Amino acid sequence: MIHISYSKLNRIKIVFFLSFFLFYYAFGAVSGNVGAIIISGYDDSGMNNDVDTMAYTLKEAFSIPSSNVYTGYNQTRSQLQSAISSMNAKGVTDLHVYITSHGNKIGVEFTKGIIVAGEYLAYIINESTAPTKHIVLDSCNSGAHYEALNNIKGDNGSIVTSTDANSAALMSPFGGGGYFINAYARGLLNSTNDTDQNGVVSHPEALQAVKDEGGAFPNWGNPKNLSIPTLSEWKKMFLTLLMLSLVMGFIPNQLQTTAISNGITISRITCINGLAFNRHLYHFILKWIGIVVVLGLTGATIIFGHVSALDITGTLFCAPLVAYILHLVVLCKNDSNKKTRIKQQ
Amino acid sequence: MKNKICFSLSLLLSFLLVEISFAADIITREQAITILREQVIDPIAEADFLMAFGPQQMLSVGDTVRPSHDQASPYQSSSRDIETPTWFFWVDTNKWAKFVHLSYFVYIDASHLNPTIGDGIYQDEQGWWPVINDVDYLRLQDERFTTQDIVYGDQSTEPPK
């Protein structure tokens, strides 16, 4: 029988949970390299609704952080170029672009009266430094621009057009949005369309789902109304930290209980509803966490130009939990050292 | 003096008679709508999704009508200068479609009592919505479903199956 000392078991648990925590953050950092530009080139309520639909859908389907998503109604060509520059500055490597507007075989409308030729649109998007581009173009005759866009999609990119080169795209009034996009968004959010079982419904897989749905006029439906239970990134982080705090908070408490039962008091740990807590140590660590938070948010503002209110709020909610977890780690280390010295005595 | 009064009255009466006879040679909007339905809309195969619109007032000499964009490939983009009082109608063949898609600018000569296609009725194939005297006419889809200028078509927003 392999015997593992109690303190060593606690260290193993701490290392395990911290590793899980760091892996979660690392995964988030990697997925943060995904970005999206979602715009309409025309001031129409239906097209604006399509922008909202695709913003929600792409964020959910590809786990794109809100800080890497640009949306805009009735955009100009210059605004599209600025959005691409912004994504380049963020170091986006996997860029999703959705454009809805009027169009013809020549190009796509950007604000009233300006037709941007398909080849020039491809040139603009190709200013992105992202090696992979996924472009969804929703306009009449959008298929006429498939070749120009296909030449710039990069490695593992994809091009989807809502119609062929000779057909009109369809939409409904009063914010009803485009027929194609409503079906396409449903396809992206339906995990059963993940035919290659890689955990993500890709653009080609969603397009196939639309084709399989069939009919010139797919069933009506706005995917924003689907009751899919999802959490934002910050909520996930908060819940993870909360769970870690609760689990790890009971470990030092066990240490104390074990020490007391052996007649040895080795710490100044107090219990709050069964959770270990050292007020002095916690406030000390919280102060340093606060300094790190301020420096981090300031640095993010300088680098990216802005920090969203959600990011600030999420940081403020998570910081106390991070401080608590760190204070537990220090407590465990201190108690372990004290226990070793007592044994040696 | 009496002769002068009689002469003036007869002149006025003649003038009024000329005006009345002139007015009787101008077709009304309702008559123009009937002509539009019989000669332009009914022959169109995709009439199920079709909506047609027309301003409440006749176009006058010197007015201009053009499509909103120069490029409408594969459709033409012709504009027209109005030379006689004209009833203008815009026939949108697919109310669910974005632009470009097939639509018609229809001009019905108001002074032509029995117009036909090519003789009093002029029909231009277009891809974009019309612009009348540099003002967009029913540019937004929402407007097209709520305007009082609808002369043909279903305002229902239920999507087709």
Side-chain angles (χ1 to χ4, degrees), chain B residues 2 8 18 21 30-31 34 38 41 43 53 82 88 101 104 113 116 121 136-137 139 153 157:
Chain B
K2 194 176 178 182
S8 299
V18 168
S21 64
E30 288 65 34
Q31 289 172 321
T34 302
E38 290 173 353
I41 294 176
F53 314 89
I82 304 302
F88 171 75
H101 65 270
Y104 299 98
L113 292 180
T116 57
I121 301 175
D136 288 300
Y137 182 63
R139 177 174 68 90
T157 58

Side-chain angles (χ1 to χ4, degrees), chain A:
Chain A
M1 180 176 161
I2 298 174
H3 176 73
I4 300 177
S5 68
Y6 194 78
S7 61
K8 193 171 183 181
L9 184 62
N10 288 337
R11 282 198 290 271
I12 292 171
K13 288 179 185 177
I14 291 168
V15 169
F16 172 79
F17 282 118
L18 281 178
S19 299
F20 170 79
F21 185 72
L22 286 171
F23 173 78
Y24 187 90
Y25 263 105
F27 181 76
V30 169
S31 66
N33 283 335
V34 182
I37 297 173
I38 303 147
I39 60 172
S40 68
Y42 195 74
D43 60 338
D44 184 280
S45 62
M47 294 185 197
N48 295 343
N49 184 70
D50 288 342
V51 169
D52 295 342
T53 296
M54 285 302 285
Y56 168 85
T57 301
L58 289 179
K59 282 196 281 189
E60 291 299 319
F62 300 101
S63 301
I64 304 176
S66 298
S67 56
N68 280 8
V69 174
Y70 174 86
T71 61
Y73 303 153
N74 195 28
Q75 297 288 282
T76 64
R77 182 188 59 204
S78 299
Q79 286 172 312
L80 173 60
Q81 288 174 304
S82 296
I84 289 174
S85 297
S86 172
M87 292 295 157
N88 291 344
K90 293 174 191 289
V92 166
T93 56
D94 195 345
L95 179 65
H96 299 257
V97 179
Y98 169 72
I99 300 172
T100 176
S101 189
H102 290 306
N104 59 12
K105 289 191 173 186
I106 304 298
V108 179
E109 184 169 30
F110 276 80
T111 69
K112 194 165 74 72
I114 308 297
I115 297 289
V116 174
E119 291 79 10
Y120 190 53
L121 178 62
Y123 172 81
I124 292 172
I125 297 175
N126 202 34
E127 289 180 335
S128 163
T129 54
T132 302
K133 302 176 190 65
H134 305 280
I135 304 169
V136 180
L137 181 59
D138 183 12
S139 68
C140 290
N141 308 119
S142 49
H145 315 302
Y146 178 88
E147 284 303 321
L149 295 172
N150 198 46
N151 291 335
I152 61 147
K153 68 181 181 185
D155 301 330
N156 303 316
S158 60
I159 306 297
V160 173
T161 60
S162 61
T163 72
D164 60 25
N166 300 309
S167 302
L170 305 176
M171 69 176 186
S172 277
F174 311 123
Y179 276 79
F180 176 80
I181 285 306
N182 281 331
Y184 190 71
R186 283 199 303 272
L188 279 174
L189 294 175
N190 186 348
S191 59
T192 61
N193 294 326
D194 180 17
T195 52
D196 61 4
Q197 299 291 309
N198 67 346
V200 175
V201 177
S202 66
H203 287 283
E205 287 171 336
L207 179 60
Q208 187 59 49
V210 173
K211 291 179 180 178
D212 292 342
E213 195 170 312
F217 305 105
N219 290 331
W220 189 250
N222 185 337
K224 282 198 297 183
N225 293 330
L226 292 175
S227 56
I228 299 172
T230 59
L231 291 174
S232 68
E233 292 85 7
W234 276 112
K235 287 178 186 173
K236 290 176 190 171
M237 276 189 239
F238 179 77
L239 281 178
T240 303
L241 288 170
L242 188 62
M243 285 168 54
L244 275 172
S245 303
L246 288 172
V247 170
M248 293 176 66
F250 285 104
I251 297 175
N253 191 33
Q254 289 174 6
L255 276 175
Q256 180 184 19
T257 305
T258 305
I260 290 173
S261 69
N262 291 336
I264 301 169
T265 301
I266 62 170
S267 73
R268 287 166 290 149
I269 299 172
T270 57
C271 290
I272 300 177
N273 294 327
L275 286 174
F277 183 71
N278 184 306
R279 188 186 302 274
H280 177 74
L281 180 60
Y282 176 75
H283 287 159
F284 177 77
I285 291 178
L286 183 63
K287 182 177 66 177
W288 282 103
I289 291 292
I291 293 171
V292 170
V293 164
V294 170
L295 289 175
L297 290 175
T298 306
T301 305
I302 293 171
I303 294 170
F304 298 110
H306 73 279
V307 174
S308 70
L310 182 61
D311 289 329
I312 295 173
T313 307
T315 304
L316 292 176
F317 269 96
C318 291
L321 293 174
V322 173
Y324 179 71
I325 294 171
L326 283 176
H327 122 287
L328 288 177
V329 173
V330 174
L331 268 180
C332 286
K333 189 176 177 186
N334 286 347
D335 288 344
S336 176
N337 291 339
K338 283 185 182 175
K339 196 173 181 182
T340 304
R341 284 198 294 274
I342 289 170
K343 273 191 178 175
Q344 288 173 347
Q345 288 170 5

